[in-house]
Amino acid sequence: MVVGDLAQEVDVLVIGAGPGGYVAAARAAQLGRSVTIVDKDELGGVCLNRGCIPSKAIITAGERFAQMKEAEEIGLEVTGEVAVNMQKLMDWKNSVVKKLTGGVGQLMKGNKVEVVTGDVFFNAKDAVRVVSENASQTYKYQDIIIATGSRPFELKILPFDGKRILSSTEALNLQEVPKKLVVVGGGYIGLELGTAYAKLGAEVTILEGTKSLLPGTDDKLTRIVSRKLKKIGVEVITDAMVQGGENKGEEVVVKATVNGEEKEFTADYCLVAVGRKPNTDEIGLEQIGVELDDRGFIKIDDQCRTSVEHIYAIGDCAGGALLAHKASYEGKVAAEVIAGQKSAIDYQAMPFVIFSDPEIAYTGLTEAQAKEEGYNPVATRYSFQANGRALSMNQSEGFAQVVADKETGLLLGVQIVGPEASSLIAEAAFAIEMGALAEDLSLTIHAHPTLPETIMEAADSLVLRLNK
Amino acid sequence: KKQKVLAMPSTRKLARELGVVITQVTATGEHGRITADDVKKFAEGGSTKSA
């Protein structure tokens, strides 16, 4: 059982092998440190195993299936039945996950990062104990990066049972398409999975506690998505306060108050996606004095330092936007700071993406945020209805909107709802990082016919409205 | 009011490496952009932490 107390010594220990942790480990190793990474599960963390990647695979399957059913619109007659083979779909999704986690394994190997499986507990400020099934080992480190991530937030009145009442994790591993699915929470996770399963044939109801779907997202963008949800038969009920629910064996009954009225929703599955909470409560942080905020996120400075010297934190467990790319970015910063470089969290434009139908993506400031920051903003939209590529894809819902400062023309933000918005936003983030003017976007030749022309066109109209 | 620093990511990185607080640098670029040269000049001309 317990191996001798001889501690292993490493330069850098990374706890958690998600997109923050593995990028941090690789970068620290590239900068000449001896690195050990510990995770209690598979490499790749939530994003690869039960988050971004599997959800996008299922979304793709739903999208392709829906397109086949609509193929007649563009003259493709599908004769015979188009059916979903859920077993095969899940096998394919799992194979995608496996390829990517295998890739992370190769990345660790290639950078000579030692990979250890086990639970981590802080013994002291400079040592942790790693407990695996049949062994326990103390590691002494010079620096440590905490990248323990987050987990689905559980409602006390509707606890996960993994069978009928699901977190996103189980919702990504269903062996059948639900006949009826009730989604509690209209944030991006609930919306993405709800949409995907609706396209695969489920009757989906989304219960959102606030007055709008995707709280926190510009409602001009959300409106287009709501319209499409209606079209594909997803019922969205806002101001719905869930009171509880019960697994009745073959089905689940969810109770909610909607406009003061008690209502019951019966379905074969209920997905609870009301948020995520940081994994900072079971590793002994309180004993070594690492400060948390009131929601349990680790407090960090702009170099990913916690309140304790030599202890760094990145990604979801350190709060802010809970995004994989934000975690990876911080992973590099932390590793570089440990290696003595003067890196810092310093970005102008974080891209936000929701894989809804159509996709939503935005970066920088909205018109309202720009006003709050003291700019005199002007915003111009260009519709995908006027974009040749979008029309020829038969996906012309939505628009791209460009926000700039009226006096200087400085590009402040871009919001997109429409096909491939998730890819289109990269140009916008780059432009903002480079300090581009809206005019710079309009003077850049965009290939025709392509979707990014929409951004150029929006910028083009915006330039005409500037004070010159 | 938050003042946006107008400098490319690589220029902001250069400033950090040279120990320059970029908000103190005088911008000579168009529309108030801080260039790499601005940062270098600032570092040479009296930054306490220059390399």
Side-chain angles (χ1 to χ4, degrees):
Chain A
M1 260 299 286
V2 177
V3 187
D5 266 350
L6 196 64
Q8 286 246 59
E9 297 201 7
V10 293
D11 291 350
V12 178
L13 193 76
V14 179
I15 323 176
Y22 75 73
V23 168
R27 177 58 57 101
Q30 286 153 8
L31 295 173
R33 295 298 193 270
S34 86
V35 183
T36 296
I37 190 166
V38 191
D39 198 292
K40 57 181 169 186
D41 295 309
E42 317 86 341
L43 291 174
V46 169
C47 172
L48 266 63
N49 293 286
R50 47 193 180 280
C52 323
I53 301 302
S55 72
K56 261 78 266 178
I58 295 172
I59 288 166
T60 297
E63 182 60 32
R64 296 269 170 91
F65 189 53
Q67 280 173 1
M68 278 190 269
K69 291 196 286 188
E70 289 163 8
E72 225 180 321
E73 278 179 27
I74 59 171
L76 304 178
E77 288 170 13
V78 179
T79 54
E81 203 190 337
V82 183
V84 178
N85 181 333
M86 205 51 177
Q87 190 66 57
K88 267 195 173 170
L89 197 168
M90 287 295 150
D91 288 349
W92 167 69
K93 176 215 67 176
N94 292 338
S95 74
V96 172
V97 169
K98 220 173 151 190
K99 263 179 219 156
L100 287 164
T101 54
V104 175
Q106 288 302 316
L107 181 73
M108 295 300 96
K109 215 173 162 184
N111 285 291
K112 300 189 170 60
V113 173
E114 197 195 339
V115 177
V116 174
T117 306
D119 288 300
V120 175
F121 301 95
F122 277 91
N123 282 357
K125 283 184 179 176
D126 63 349
V128 293
R129 195 147 192 91
V130 177
V131 182
S132 56
E133 242 169 66
N134 43 26
S136 167
Q137 173 68 54
T138 296
Y139 286 83
K140 286 196 85 146
Y141 53 80
Q142 283 172 22
D143 295 282
I144 189 164
I145 301 174
I146 305 171
T148 49
S150 63
R151 61 181 184 271
F153 191 93
E154 187 170 61
L155 287 179
K156 280 200 182 102
I157 51 166
L158 193 61
F160 304 126
D161 64 19
K163 294 187 176 74
R164 296 282 161 200
I165 304 169
L166 315 175
S167 72
S168 53
T169 305
E170 296 90 28
L172 293 167
N173 280 309
L174 288 177
Q175 297 307 306
E176 57 179 356
V177 176
K179 285 183 223 49
K180 282 190 177 181
L181 173 68
V182 172
V183 179
V184 175
Y188 80 95
I189 296 174
L191 173 63
E192 287 185 2
L193 287 176
T195 304
Y197 280 117
K199 287 181 179 171
L200 291 170
E203 194 180 305
V204 176
T205 303
I206 299 177
L207 305 175
E208 165 56 39
T210 72
K211 63 182 192 324
S212 70
L213 195 67
L214 292 174
T217 303
D218 192 344
D219 60 3
K220 287 182 213 110
L221 303 171
T222 312
R223 215 173 293 147
I224 307 273
V225 172
S226 294
R227 210 184 296 154
K228 187 69 182 278
L229 285 173
K230 207 171 270 176
K231 209 170 146 191
I232 61 173
V234 174
E235 187 181 18
V236 179
I237 303 175
T238 53
D239 286 316
M241 296 313 295
V242 170
Q243 305 297 335
E246 203 185 333
N247 176 346
K248 302 218 166 175
E250 292 296 297
E251 56 185 27
V252 53
V253 179
V254 177
K255 290 194 177 106
T257 313
V258 183
N259 297 325
E261 208 182 313
E262 289 271 337
K263 285 199 172 168
E264 277 193 2
F265 300 88
T266 304
D268 40 353
Y269 294 99
C270 170
L271 161 63
V272 182
V274 293
R276 300 186 62 83
K277 68 184 275 188
N279 295 326
T280 53
D281 47 352
E282 287 162 355
I283 52 175
L285 285 178
E286 54 292 338
Q287 290 159 37
I288 52 165
V290 169
E291 269 181 53
L292 308 180
D293 70 11
D294 51 7
R295 292 164 64 210
F297 293 103
I298 299 170
K299 288 189 193 172
I300 58 169
D301 68 7
D302 68 349
Q303 294 192 306
C304 302
R305 288 194 181 88
T306 69
S307 58
V308 179
E309 227 186 323
H310 299 292
I311 301 183
Y312 297 74
I314 58 170
D316 286 8
C317 71
L322 306 188
L323 297 169
H325 43 275
K326 176 241 175 209
S328 301
Y329 176 90
E330 290 176 349
K332 287 183 201 162
V333 170
E336 288 168 4
V337 168
I338 286 170
Q341 296 186 2
K342 289 170 180 163
S343 296
I345 299 171
D346 174 24
Y347 58 82
Q348 303 278 351
M350 176 70 73
F352 290 84
V353 169
I354 300 156
F355 288 83
S356 48
D357 182 10
E359 293 178 357
I360 288 176
Y362 52 95
T363 191
L365 306 175
T366 62
E367 208 178 347
Q369 287 166 341
K371 253 177 222 156
E372 275 168 36
E373 296 216 354
Y375 292 100
N376 178 13
V378 45
T380 307
R381 278 192 219 174
Y382 192 85
S383 170
F384 283 106
Q385 298 279 358
N387 175 277
R389 184 63 190 124
L391 283 162
S392 66
M393 288 166 74
N394 199 29
Q395 289 177 41
S396 57
E397 288 148 319
F399 60 84
Q401 176 172 274
V402 173
V403 181
D405 182 55
K406 198 162 185 173
E407 274 74 45
T408 60
L410 182 68
L411 179 67
L412 299 173
V414 173
Q415 297 87 36
I416 305 169
V417 55
E420 305 290 342
S422 56
S423 293
L424 299 179
I425 204 65
E427 175 187 13
F430 182 57
I432 294 172
E433 287 294 350
M434 295 297 282
L437 306 184
E439 195 165 26
D440 293 314
L441 277 180
S442 81
L443 290 171
T444 300
I445 299 175
H446 287 61
H448 177 76
T450 61
L451 299 170
E453 286 180 285
T454 316
I455 296 175
M456 175 185 74
E457 297 285 0
D460 210 26
S461 334
L462 190 142
V463 170
L464 300 173
R465 294 177 53 198
L466 297 175
N467 291 338
K468 282 195 175 179
Chain B
K1 276 175 204 173
K2 227 168 79 182
Q3 195 50 51
K4 213 171 133 115
V5 173
L6 271 184
M8 298 193 292
S10 53
T11 304
R12 302 202 297 267
K13 183 180 173 190
L14 176 70
R16 284 195 298 274
E17 282 169 352
L18 296 177
V20 168
V21 178
I22 198 158
T23 48
Q24 296 176 356
V25 177
T26 310
T28 65
E30 273 192 55
H31 313 288
R33 273 168 188 66
I34 297 166
T35 66
D37 273 347
D38 294 340
V39 170
K40 283 180 202 156
K41 270 185 200 137
F42 188 92
E44 284 160 14
S47 165
T48 49
K49 286 171 81 179
S50 68

